[in-house]
Amino acid sequence: MGKARILILGGTTEARALAAALASRADLDVVLSLAGRTADPAPQPVPVRSGGFGGAEGLARYLRDEKIDLVIDTTHPFAARVSANAAQAATQCAVTAFALRRPAWLPVEGDDWLSVHSVSQAIAALGTAPLRVLLATGRQEAHQANAAPQHHYWVRSVDPVEPPLTVPHVSYIHSRGPFRLEDELDVLQRHGIEIVIAKNSGGDATYGKIEAARQLGIKAIMVERAETAGLPVVETVDAALDRIDHFVSSLMKRGV
């Protein structure tokens, strides 16, 4: 039989780790798909395709044209539309699919969290009195801050926010994680940050700011993720590798 063809929908630390674990396997043909939103993505251990597919229909077409056997959704926990499209396309093409989702963070003793469901809700929750805010939700929804121009924002993102915010008091921090606790403590203290807005992404790479806020007694407004619909979920790279092994062995039994 030929190689099992696997499409990884990526962009996360887990996607890269999974691709690295599969890269040397002679029984697999792996392609990693990136959304193409980051101007200078980090090098990857397997062949990469960049850019969107054109919704569920476009993805279904790609699965058929490329004869993909297995789809693994390892996109960001907040890329809900991509996950929905993956579930729909896989069902349409009768292709096996699952998601690899790191577990969300849970508050521990000392955390002062307010949970909301969107960045716009987080901005509204800041209230009317001016605050010094670290907005660490990425550039795509940073413009929600325009609705509350009384605050002073420090906006952190990998790429520049385009167009820039219209608020009078804004500073931009361009950096790519992982972020160390010492550096996060420095950022919060140096800028006199009074509140942090973050997405509950889970994982280690960006947890530093949550830990730093806890140590400094700073409140965090946490944007919680929506449920992943339509795909079975595993939470670790090891669990994903187990699932891939089961899939490949059943594929070989069928002699496809």
Side-chain angles (χ1 to χ4, degrees):
M1 68 168 259
K3 297 180 179 186
R5 291 179 61 78
I6 297 179
L7 174 66
I8 301 175
L9 302 173
T12 54
T13 317
E14 289 79 13
R16 186 185 166 75
L18 184 62
L22 299 176
S24 61
R25 284 185 50 168
D27 58 337
L28 305 178
D29 194 354
V30 181
V31 176
L32 176 61
S33 170
L34 299 176
R37 292 203 182 103
T38 304
D40 182 24
Q44 301 290 340
V46 297
V48 170
R49 77 167 292 287
S50 189
F53 291 94
E57 286 302 320
L59 178 53
R61 197 175 312 117
Y62 180 89
L63 298 183
R64 282 192 291 264
D65 290 350
E66 296 295 321
K67 299 182 171 51
I68 298 296
D69 298 302
L70 175 64
V71 177
I72 307 170
D73 172 19
T74 60
T75 54
H76 195 273
F78 284 86
R81 186 176 297 134
V82 180
S83 297
N85 287 345
Q88 194 180 325
T91 302
Q92 204 174 313
C93 300
V95 168
T96 303
F98 69 90
L100 168 55
R101 285 273 175 283
R102 63 186 96 138
W105 298 316
L106 296 171
V108 299
E109 193 178 339
D111 280 327
D112 180 7
W113 287 11
L114 171 67
S115 289
V116 296
H117 294 291
S118 66
V119 177
S120 58
Q121 275 185 13
I123 298 295
L126 291 170
T128 51
L131 290 169
R132 299 166 72 83
V133 182
L134 176 66
L135 184 57
T137 56
R139 71 189 170 102
Q140 285 188 289
E141 292 175 275
H143 65 275
Q144 301 286 356
N146 292 336
Q150 70 272 31
H151 306 296
H152 190 149
Y153 296 97
W154 279 261
V155 179
R156 183 160 70 193
S157 59
V158 177
D159 292 317
V161 176
E162 296 289 349
L165 301 191
T166 58
V167 298
H169 307 293
V170 60
S171 307
Y172 298 98
I173 304 170
H174 296 142
S175 54
R176 187 198 299 267
F179 300 104
R180 296 182 321 153
L181 174 60
E182 308 88 90
D183 298 334
E184 299 294 55
L185 286 165
D186 178 59
V187 166
L188 297 182
Q189 288 175 304
R190 188 156 28 102
H191 302 306
I193 299 296
E194 297 168 284
I195 197 158
V196 172
I197 298 180
K199 287 181 170 177
N200 192 338
S201 305
D204 299 328
T206 61
Y207 188 67
K209 62 179 173 283
I210 307 303
E211 208 175 336
R214 178 167 67 239
Q215 286 192 17
L216 297 172
I218 293 172
K219 182 174 185 146
I221 302 181
M222 299 294 285
V223 182
E224 300 296 345
R225 44 171 99 166
E227 288 302 305
T228 305
L231 291 175
V233 176
V234 298
E235 292 189 336
T236 65
V237 171
D238 283 345
L241 291 170
D242 282 348
R243 205 170 179 112
I244 291 163
D245 287 339
H246 282 298
F247 174 77
V248 171
S249 65
S250 71
L251 207 61
M252 288 175 73
K253 284 192 188 106
R254 294 205 306 266
V256 176

